[in-house]
Amino acid sequence: MSEGERSAPAPQVCWYGDDFTGATDTLAEVARAGLRGLLFLGVPTPEQLRRAGPLDAIGIAGAARGMAPAEMETELRAAGRFLAGTGARVLHYKCCSTFDSAPHVGSIGAAIRELRRHMPNPIVPIVGGQPSIGRYCSFAQLFARAGSAPEIHRIDRHPVMSAHPVTPMHEADLRLHLQAQGLSGIRSVPHTAYPRLRQAADAPALARWIDQIIETTDGPVLLDLVDDEQLAVIGRLIWRAASRAPLLAVGPSSVQQALARAAPPGREWETDPLPLAAAAGPVLVVAGSLSPVTARQIAACRRYARQPLQVERLLADPDYAARQAQQAAAALAQGHNVLAHTDKPSAAVSAQDTAATARATGRLVADIVRTSAHAGRPLSRIGIAGGDTSSQATLALGLWGLAFRCVLAPGVTVSLTRSDDPLTDGIELMLKGGQMGGDFLFDELAAGAA
């Protein structure tokens, strides 16, 4: 970042999301903390920064979760250089709350190796849970809820994540999981070691404990998280370390929750964000996720005309893709909500197939949006299910930023698009990961929800 670009006050925090859906969840958390934030869909240009105005939090939504380590290194070198150049004290690498990754794709270890080069602090806090969405880390073991079901599963026995088509989670101990990605020497701090922080008198003991952790740690430190009350302890540790030197912190959006709990009182909402009202026109939802949670959401919705998509034909036949875009746009023009969803493949899916499907589905979203707009019926609300599909669709739409609109469900954010193209600027856009939201999420997107 040039000296001219740094004339504005430095943001308090910045973040890189390894997929677009998770990056919008972090955008919601910084907004909840009363910070002025914007999520850029790439390293912003000086003109985009100018249009964004003063910001307390700057994010970049990326696609590192689906990249090989060499590709990640290139992507994160540019992002890390820019984000460190903002002057923020904390750079948050936002990974999925289930930590699904592997040595060959989406490697969190590779991300840490690159990004810590840009932040001089030797300590790298890794926050291992997010209770607000049913993710817990106890004695370095990761546990997660599946969708909205109440049961909690150890991650290597999770009904979805243990069988993920690209990055199956076969190890619950995050130290071993990340060690396999080249991150050695991880220190683990169990939640049973955390000092109590119930009253002001507890603060000095907590400060001494935090200083001892900081002074005796050189490298990554995994912090358990099983209860929301522990967020303030973790947040104080991160802020205290960052006051000595800018640092890299790793984990889901609980990193921002912890920072908000521990930060001194700051801005509050001038007004509460308005709840999502019923859509003023037809709603388009495109689901590229094969998660059982998304499958239940597709089966439960009642407010949409369903449009199944045959993946093999979508990949191989441009005429088929064009017909699908025209079919969806025609139904939308008649005032119908449309839910287009990919079918389940008959054989095992490779990482290359997953990436190709996401690109094709993302192009389909953009084609439907532009076909509708050119026909004089622009869409004002869109939903996309699936992290890879979300990433590809936002790129295909030519967006450069997302501003916070509201939270539709835990882990599901509705944003307002920022684009140089008036056809795609100002759309209410819901991006959701495969595991997020209740069964009736898509209907709530159309009908509105308090």
Side-chain angles (χ1 to χ4, degrees), residues 99 101-103 109 126 137 139-142 155-156 169-188 222:
F99 279 76
S101 52
I126 303 173
C137 186
F139 299 101
Q141 311 293 308
L142 185 61
I155 201 68
D156 58 337
M169 291 294 288
H170 295 155
E171 175 57 66
D173 190 322
L174 289 180
R175 295 167 298 184
L176 298 179
H177 177 63
L178 297 176
Q179 181 178 304
Q181 299 175 21
L183 195 64
S184 60
I186 301 174
R187 177 179 181 179
S188 175
L222 175 62

CSV table of all heavy atoms in Angstrom, one decimal, residues 99 101-103 109 126 137 139-142 155-156 169-188 222:
chain,number,residue,atom,x,y,z
A,99,PHE,N,-12.3,-26.8,9.9
A,99,PHE,CA,-10.9,-26.9,9.6
A,99,PHE,C,-10.6,-27.9,8.5
A,99,PHE,O,-9.5,-28.5,8.4
A,99,PHE,CB,-10.1,-27.3,10.9
A,99,PHE,CG,-9.8,-26.2,11.8
A,99,PHE,CD1,-10.7,-25.6,12.6
A,99,PHE,CD2,-8.5,-25.6,11.8
A,99,PHE,CE1,-10.5,-24.5,13.5
A,99,PHE,CE2,-8.2,-24.5,12.6
A,99,PHE,CZ,-9.2,-24.0,13.5
A,101,SER,N,-9.4,-29.3,5.4
A,101,SER,CA,-8.2,-28.9,4.6
A,101,SER,C,-7.3,-30.1,4.5
A,101,SER,O,-7.5,-31.1,5.2
A,101,SER,CB,-7.5,-27.8,5.3
A,101,SER,OG,-7.2,-28.1,6.6
A,102,ALA,N,-6.4,-30.1,3.6
A,102,ALA,CA,-5.5,-31.2,3.4
A,102,ALA,C,-4.1,-30.7,3.0
A,102,ALA,O,-4.0,-29.5,2.5
A,102,ALA,CB,-6.0,-32.2,2.4
A,103,PRO,N,-3.1,-31.5,3.1
A,103,PRO,CA,-1.7,-31.1,2.6
A,103,PRO,C,-1.7,-30.6,1.1
A,103,PRO,O,-1.0,-29.7,0.8
A,103,PRO,CB,-0.9,-32.3,2.8
A,103,PRO,CG,-1.5,-33.0,3.9
A,103,PRO,CD,-3.0,-32.9,3.7
A,109,GLY,N,-1.7,-25.1,6.9
A,109,GLY,CA,-0.3,-24.9,7.2
A,109,GLY,C,0.4,-24.1,6.2
A,109,GLY,O,1.2,-23.2,6.5
A,126,ILE,N,-4.2,-19.8,17.2
A,126,ILE,CA,-5.1,-20.6,16.4
A,126,ILE,C,-6.3,-20.9,17.3
A,126,ILE,O,-6.2,-21.6,18.3
A,126,ILE,CB,-4.5,-21.9,15.9
A,126,ILE,CG1,-3.3,-21.6,15.1
A,126,ILE,CG2,-5.6,-22.7,15.0
A,126,ILE,CD1,-2.5,-22.9,14.7
A,137,CYS,N,-13.7,-27.0,20.5
A,137,CYS,CA,-12.4,-27.6,20.6
A,137,CYS,C,-12.1,-27.8,22.1
A,137,CYS,O,-12.0,-26.8,22.9
A,137,CYS,CB,-11.4,-26.7,19.9
A,137,CYS,SG,-9.7,-27.4,19.8
A,139,PHE,N,-9.3,-29.9,24.5
A,139,PHE,CA,-8.0,-30.6,24.6
A,139,PHE,C,-7.5,-30.9,23.2
A,139,PHE,O,-7.1,-32.1,22.9
A,139,PHE,CB,-8.2,-31.9,25.4
A,139,PHE,CG,-8.6,-31.6,26.9
A,139,PHE,CD1,-9.9,-31.8,27.3
A,139,PHE,CD2,-7.6,-31.2,27.8
A,139,PHE,CE1,-10.2,-31.5,28.6
A,139,PHE,CE2,-8.0,-30.9,29.1
A,139,PHE,CZ,-9.3,-31.0,29.5
A,140,ALA,N,-7.6,-29.9,22.3
A,140,ALA,CA,-7.2,-29.9,20.9
A,140,ALA,C,-8.0,-30.8,20.0
A,140,ALA,O,-7.7,-30.8,18.8
A,140,ALA,CB,-5.7,-30.4,20.8
A,141,GLN,N,-9.1,-31.4,20.5
A,141,GLN,CA,-10.0,-32.2,19.7
A,141,GLN,C,-11.2,-31.4,19.2
A,141,GLN,O,-11.8,-30.7,20.0
A,141,GLN,CB,-10.5,-33.4,20.5
A,141,GLN,CG,-9.5,-34.2,21.2
A,141,GLN,CD,-8.5,-34.9,20.3
A,141,GLN,OE1,-8.9,-35.6,19.4
A,141,GLN,NE2,-7.2,-34.7,20.6
A,142,LEU,N,-11.4,-31.5,17.9
A,142,LEU,CA,-12.5,-30.7,17.3
A,142,LEU,C,-13.8,-31.4,17.2
A,142,LEU,O,-13.8,-32.6,16.8
A,142,LEU,CB,-12.1,-30.2,15.9
A,142,LEU,CG,-13.0,-29.2,15.2
A,142,LEU,CD1,-13.2,-27.9,16.0
A,142,LEU,CD2,-12.6,-29.0,13.8
A,155,ILE,N,-15.0,-34.6,15.0
A,155,ILE,CA,-15.0,-34.2,13.6
A,155,ILE,C,-14.6,-35.4,12.7
A,155,ILE,O,-15.1,-35.5,11.5
A,155,ILE,CB,-14.0,-33.0,13.3
A,155,ILE,CG1,-14.3,-32.3,12.0
A,155,ILE,CG2,-12.6,-33.5,13.4
A,155,ILE,CD1,-15.6,-31.6,12.0
A,156,ASP,N,-13.8,-36.4,13.2
A,156,ASP,CA,-13.5,-37.5,12.4
A,156,ASP,C,-14.6,-38.6,12.3
A,156,ASP,O,-14.5,-39.5,11.6
A,156,ASP,CB,-12.2,-38.2,12.8
A,156,ASP,CG,-12.2,-38.6,14.3
A,156,ASP,OD1,-13.1,-38.1,15.0
A,156,ASP,OD2,-11.4,-39.5,14.6
A,169,MET,N,-12.3,-35.2,6.8
A,169,MET,CA,-11.6,-35.0,8.1
A,169,MET,C,-11.4,-36.4,8.8
A,169,MET,O,-12.4,-36.9,9.3
A,169,MET,CB,-12.4,-34.0,9.0
A,169,MET,CG,-12.3,-32.6,8.5
A,169,MET,SD,-10.7,-31.9,8.5
A,169,MET,CE,-10.5,-31.6,10.3
A,170,HIS,N,-10.2,-36.9,8.8
A,170,HIS,CA,-10.0,-38.2,9.4
A,170,HIS,C,-9.2,-38.1,10.7
A,170,HIS,O,-8.9,-39.1,11.3
A,170,HIS,CB,-9.2,-39.1,8.4
A,170,HIS,CG,-10.0,-39.4,7.2
A,170,HIS,ND1,-9.4,-39.7,6.0
A,170,HIS,CD2,-11.3,-39.5,7.0
A,170,HIS,CE1,-10.3,-40.0,5.1
A,170,HIS,NE2,-11.5,-39.9,5.7
A,171,GLU,N,-8.9,-36.8,11.1
A,171,GLU,CA,-8.2,-36.6,12.4
A,171,GLU,C,-8.8,-35.5,13.2
A,171,GLU,O,-9.0,-34.4,12.7
A,171,GLU,CB,-6.7,-36.3,12.1
A,171,GLU,CG,-5.8,-35.9,13.3
A,171,GLU,CD,-5.8,-37.1,14.3
A,171,GLU,OE1,-5.3,-38.1,14.0
A,171,GLU,OE2,-6.4,-36.8,15.4
A,172,ALA,N,-9.2,-35.8,14.4
A,172,ALA,CA,-9.9,-34.8,15.3
A,172,ALA,C,-8.9,-34.0,16.0
A,172,ALA,O,-9.3,-32.9,16.4
A,172,ALA,CB,-10.8,-35.5,16.2
A,173,ASP,N,-7.7,-34.4,16.3
A,173,ASP,CA,-6.7,-33.7,17.0
A,173,ASP,C,-6.1,-32.6,16.0
A,173,ASP,O,-5.4,-33.0,15.1
A,173,ASP,CB,-5.6,-34.6,17.5
A,173,ASP,CG,-4.6,-33.9,18.5
A,173,ASP,OD1,-4.3,-32.7,18.2
A,173,ASP,OD2,-4.2,-34.5,19.4
A,174,LEU,N,-6.4,-31.3,16.3
A,174,LEU,CA,-6.0,-30.3,15.3
A,174,LEU,C,-4.5,-30.2,15.2
A,174,LEU,O,-4.0,-29.7,14.2
A,174,LEU,CB,-6.7,-29.0,15.7
A,174,LEU,CG,-8.2,-28.9,15.4
A,174,LEU,CD1,-8.7,-27.5,15.8
A,174,LEU,CD2,-8.5,-29.2,13.9
A,175,ARG,N,-3.8,-30.5,16.3
A,175,ARG,CA,-2.3,-30.5,16.2
A,175,ARG,C,-1.8,-31.5,15.2
A,175,ARG,O,-1.0,-31.1,14.4
A,175,ARG,CB,-1.8,-30.8,17.6
A,175,ARG,CG,-2.1,-29.8,18.7
A,175,ARG,CD,-1.7,-30.4,20.1
A,175,ARG,NE,-2.5,-31.6,20.4
A,175,ARG,CZ,-2.5,-32.2,21.6
A,175,ARG,NH1,-1.7,-31.8,22.5
A,175,ARG,NH2,-3.2,-33.3,21.8
A,176,LEU,N,-2.3,-32.7,15.2
A,176,LEU,CA,-1.9,-33.7,14.2
A,176,LEU,C,-2.4,-33.3,12.8
A,176,LEU,O,-1.7,-33.5,11.8
A,176,LEU,CB,-2.4,-35.1,14.6
A,176,LEU,CG,-1.9,-35.6,16.0
A,176,LEU,CD1,-2.4,-36.9,16.3
A,176,LEU,CD2,-0.3,-35.6,16.0
A,177,HIS,N,-3.6,-32.8,12.8
A,177,HIS,CA,-4.2,-32.4,11.5
A,177,HIS,C,-3.3,-31.4,10.8
A,177,HIS,O,-3.1,-31.5,9.6
A,177,HIS,CB,-5.6,-31.9,11.7
A,177,HIS,CG,-6.3,-31.4,10.5
A,177,HIS,ND1,-6.6,-32.2,9.4
A,177,HIS,CD2,-6.8,-30.2,10.1
A,177,HIS,CE1,-7.2,-31.5,8.4
A,177,HIS,NE2,-7.3,-30.3,8.9
A,178,LEU,N,-2.9,-30.4,11.5
A,178,LEU,CA,-2.1,-29.3,11.0
A,178,LEU,C,-0.7,-29.7,10.8
A,178,LEU,O,0.0,-29.2,9.9
A,178,LEU,CB,-2.2,-28.0,11.8
A,178,LEU,CG,-3.7,-27.4,11.9
A,178,LEU,CD1,-3.7,-26.3,12.9
A,178,LEU,CD2,-4.1,-27.0,10.5
A,179,GLN,N,-0.2,-30.6,11.7
A,179,GLN,CA,1.2,-31.1,11.5
A,179,GLN,C,1.3,-31.8,10.2
A,179,GLN,O,2.4,-31.7,9.5
A,179,GLN,CB,1.5,-32.1,12.6
A,179,GLN,CG,2.9,-32.6,12.6
A,179,GLN,CD,3.2,-33.6,13.8
A,179,GLN,OE1,3.0,-33.2,14.9
A,179,GLN,NE2,3.5,-34.8,13.5
A,180,ALA,N,0.3,-32.5,9.7
A,180,ALA,CA,0.3,-33.2,8.4
A,180,ALA,C,0.4,-32.2,7.3
A,180,ALA,O,0.8,-32.5,6.2
A,180,ALA,CB,-0.9,-34.1,8.2
A,181,GLN,N,0.1,-30.9,7.6
A,181,GLN,CA,0.2,-29.8,6.6
A,181,GLN,C,1.4,-29.0,6.7
A,181,GLN,O,1.5,-27.9,6.2
A,181,GLN,CB,-1.1,-28.9,6.7
A,181,GLN,CG,-2.4,-29.7,6.4
A,181,GLN,CD,-3.6,-28.9,6.6
A,181,GLN,OE1,-3.6,-27.6,6.6
A,181,GLN,NE2,-4.7,-29.5,6.9
A,182,GLY,N,2.4,-29.6,7.5
A,182,GLY,CA,3.7,-28.9,7.6
A,182,GLY,C,3.8,-27.9,8.7
A,182,GLY,O,4.8,-27.2,8.8
A,183,LEU,N,2.8,-27.9,9.6
A,183,LEU,CA,2.9,-27.0,10.8
A,183,LEU,C,3.3,-27.7,12.0
A,183,LEU,O,2.4,-28.3,12.7
A,183,LEU,CB,1.5,-26.3,10.9
A,183,LEU,CG,1.5,-25.0,11.8
A,183,LEU,CD1,2.3,-23.9,11.2
A,183,LEU,CD2,0.1,-24.6,12.0
A,184,SER,N,4.5,-27.7,12.3
A,184,SER,CA,5.0,-28.5,13.5
A,184,SER,C,5.2,-27.6,14.7
A,184,SER,O,5.1,-26.4,14.7
A,184,SER,CB,6.4,-29.1,13.1
A,184,SER,OG,7.3,-28.1,12.8
A,185,GLY,N,5.3,-28.2,15.9
A,185,GLY,CA,5.6,-27.5,17.1
A,185,GLY,C,4.4,-26.7,17.6
A,185,GLY,O,4.6,-25.7,18.2
A,186,ILE,N,3.2,-27.2,17.4
A,186,ILE,CA,2.0,-26.5,17.9
A,186,ILE,C,1.8,-26.6,19.4
A,186,ILE,O,1.7,-27.8,19.9
A,186,ILE,CB,0.7,-26.9,17.1
A,186,ILE,CG1,0.9,-26.8,15.6
A,186,ILE,CG2,-0.5,-26.2,17.6
A,186,ILE,CD1,-0.3,-27.3,14.8
A,187,ARG,N,1.8,-25.5,20.1
A,187,ARG,CA,1.5,-25.6,21.5
A,187,ARG,C,0.0,-25.6,21.7
A,187,ARG,O,-0.7,-24.9,21.1
A,187,ARG,CB,2.1,-24.4,22.2
A,187,ARG,CG,1.8,-24.3,23.7
A,187,ARG,CD,2.5,-23.1,24.3
A,187,ARG,NE,2.2,-23.1,25.8
A,187,ARG,CZ,2.7,-22.1,26.6
A,187,ARG,NH1,3.4,-21.2,26.1
A,187,ARG,NH2,2.4,-22.1,27.9
A,188,SER,N,-0.5,-26.4,22.6
A,188,SER,CA,-1.9,-26.5,22.9
A,188,SER,C,-2.2,-26.0,24.3
A,188,SER,O,-1.6,-26.3,25.3
A,188,SER,CB,-2.4,-28.0,22.8
A,188,SER,OG,-3.8,-28.1,23.2
A,222,LEU,N,-2.5,-23.4,19.8
A,222,LEU,CA,-3.9,-23.8,19.6
A,222,LEU,C,-4.7,-23.5,20.9
A,222,LEU,O,-4.3,-24.0,22.0
A,222,LEU,CB,-4.0,-25.2,19.2
A,222,LEU,CG,-5.4,-25.8,19.1
A,222,LEU,CD1,-6.2,-25.1,18.0
A,222,LEU,CD2,-5.3,-27.3,18.8
